[in-house]
Amino acid sequence: GKITIVPGGVDLKRFYPSTERRTIRHRLNIPQENMILFSVRNLVPRMGLENLIYAVKDVVKTVPDVYLVLGGDGPLKNDLISLAKGLGIENHVKFAGFIPEAELPDYYRAADIFILPTMELEGFGLITLEALASGVPVLGTPVGGTVEILSRMDSQYIFRDTSPESMAELIIQTCRAFKDNPSLWQDVSSRCRLFVEKNYSWEKNVNSLENLIAEVMVG
């Protein structure tokens, strides 16, 4: 009863939805008509990126226009590129490399779905909030802060576990739902943005912290 949680926040003025998605995709050399999955991570083992690439191999069989944009750099880069080639999905994966901070918002805006495949040690999950603030639905593994955030919004967007099979299943299900009902994506996108505005704006959370400190001082 003495514990109050004041969460972190996200810059809502920097990360926001765009109506110019086609223009952004063209500028970033991302296919216009494909179902775009996006993830940005340090390319290290705990991030689960190998599992994501294995999952994409299965997704392609059912959703042939799926296209993964993977941002980030790290020691696994060459291994991940080789894995995609070995699985025969190199034409469905774009390794974008390190993404400068100035360009990151547009990468979110270009995506249909953001994927967070972390296997362990996921903290607060700022990139989850950045994607949601950009109006992009997030699918994430049930690890760390991802559960805290996504379960508050909609637990159906949490993978059953960290396996490639679990990821592929939910990615296929979500892609199909958006394809079968084009207006659904826009509805979910709007809900993502409103969720972050309500729960994770810096203004709201800083005010909560200030009020809490004032109460403690009075007490």
Side-chain angles (χ1 to χ4, degrees):
K2 295 183 179 180
I3 296 174
T4 299
I5 298 176
V6 180
V10 64
D11 187 345
L12 296 176
K13 294 181 179 179
R14 182 164 175 248
F15 297 97
Y16 58 87
S18 173
T19 58
E20 304 295 330
R21 296 173 74 218
R22 292 183 64 86
T23 301
I24 292 171
R25 287 186 180 186
H26 177 74
R27 185 174 63 79
L28 298 178
N29 195 28
I30 294 173
Q32 294 283 347
E33 306 300 333
N34 290 56
M35 176 66 71
I36 304 299
L37 311 179
F38 176 51
S39 190
V40 56
R41 306 259 67 191
N42 291 322
L43 307 187
V44 297
R46 74 174 181 87
M47 300 301 184
L49 298 169
E50 301 99 324
N51 287 346
L52 176 55
I53 290 176
Y54 277 113
V56 169
K57 178 181 183 295
D58 289 338
V59 173
V60 166
K61 298 173 185 176
T62 304
V63 188
D65 68 337
V66 77
Y67 188 86
L68 170 65
V69 177
L70 181 57
D73 204 350
L76 286 184
K77 180 177 180 180
N78 290 335
D79 290 342
L80 294 173
I81 292 173
S82 296
L83 177 60
K85 289 181 178 178
L87 295 174
I89 58 169
E90 64 270 27
N91 293 329
H92 294 270
V93 183
K94 174 184 176 71
F95 290 90
F98 173 76
I99 298 175
E101 284 293 317
E103 294 184 14
L104 185 56
D106 274 349
Y107 273 90
Y108 285 118
R109 296 180 190 118
D112 292 296
I113 304 170
F114 186 84
I115 309 292
L116 194 61
T118 315
M119 293 185 66
E120 59 184 4
L121 302 175
E122 184 63 44
F124 173 62
L126 181 60
I127 59 173
T128 299
L129 294 184
E130 290 173 349
L132 294 173
S134 303
V136 180
V138 175
L139 305 183
T141 49
V143 176
T146 303
V147 178
E148 175 188 342
I149 296 171
L150 292 184
S151 62
R152 294 184 68 185
M153 180 182 157
D154 195 330
S155 58
Q156 72 169 318
Y157 294 125
I158 302 175
F159 296 120
R160 185 177 63 254
D161 53 52
T162 63
S163 69
E165 294 79 14
S166 173
M167 290 186 207
E169 180 182 1
L170 186 55
I171 292 171
I172 290 170
Q173 176 184 320
T174 307
C175 288
R176 278 178 165 174
F178 290 154
K179 284 176 169 290
D180 291 344
N181 183 1
S183 65
L184 176 62
W185 185 90
Q186 191 57 59
D187 292 343
V188 175
S189 173
S190 298
R191 190 151 58 90
C192 291
R193 175 67 185 189
L194 290 173
F195 169 76
V196 176
E197 289 177 349
K198 179 180 178 181
N199 297 287
Y200 294 101
S201 76
W202 276 120
E203 181 180 4
K204 173 184 172 64
N205 294 341
V206 168
N207 286 340
S208 297
L209 180 60
E210 289 178 342
N211 291 337
L212 180 63
I213 293 172
E215 291 175 10
V216 171
M217 292 177 66
V218 171

